[in-house]
Amino acid sequence: MSSEQRSSTGASSPAAPRPARLSAAAALCAAEGVVLAGFGAYLLLMGLLGDPSSPRQAEMGGLTLLALAALPLVAARGLLLRRRWSRGPAVITQLMAVPVAWTLVGTGGAVIAAGAALGAVAVTVLVLLVNPAATEALGIGPRGEP
């Protein structure tokens, strides 16, 4: 595969091993997507089968979470396949997660642990994705380079 073909697909050399940082970022993004999908499915089922105070709101919340779960899942797959485009959705997901984590921590009670875990995961993934080894594996170089 020529360097032009590699840069157009966004993948680095297939012979080079995937950096562990990139694999870790992909795993954490996938975990976020699975958790979002799980909460979305729960809300949807409770809206349809349960007895919430507002079934329509529970169903819409469930559908929204299921749709939002697609972003980190697609990003995780792209990171595993070393696609250049995958870094954007992964970073966007983490930037959306930070204020959610902050809100959960500020709420108090039992959700403090969930907020702290979400915040830790978001910051960890952001750090992993800006690492030079990860950016190089994704075919992202300094300005001026293709």
Side-chain angles (χ1 to χ4, degrees), residues 100-124:
V100 172
W102 184 263
T103 302
L104 289 174
V105 168
T107 301
V111 295
I112 290 177
L118 178 60
V121 167
V123 170
T124 300

Side-chain angles (χ1 to χ4, degrees), residues 17-117:
R18 182 185 322 110
R21 289 177 175 98
L22 196 57
S23 298
L28 290 171
C29 281
E32 286 175 326
V34 168
V35 169
L36 275 172
F39 281 132
Y42 173 77
L43 278 176
L44 188 59
L45 287 174
M46 287 298 104
L48 294 172
L49 306 173
D51 190 24
S53 59
S54 174
R56 187 179 306 169
Q57 187 175 8
E59 292 161 8
M60 192 50 124
L63 289 173
T64 301
L65 286 178
L66 287 172
L68 286 174
L71 187 62
L73 291 172
V74 168
R77 177 152 169 77
L79 290 172
L80 283 176
L81 297 174
R82 295 191 221 178
R83 301 292 189 249
R84 174 184 278 199
W85 58 262
S86 64
R87 184 174 161 202
V91 168
I92 289 168
T93 300
Q94 305 322 309
L95 292 176
M96 290 184 339
V98 169
V100 172
W102 184 263
T103 302
L104 289 174
V105 168
T107 301
V111 295
I112 290 177

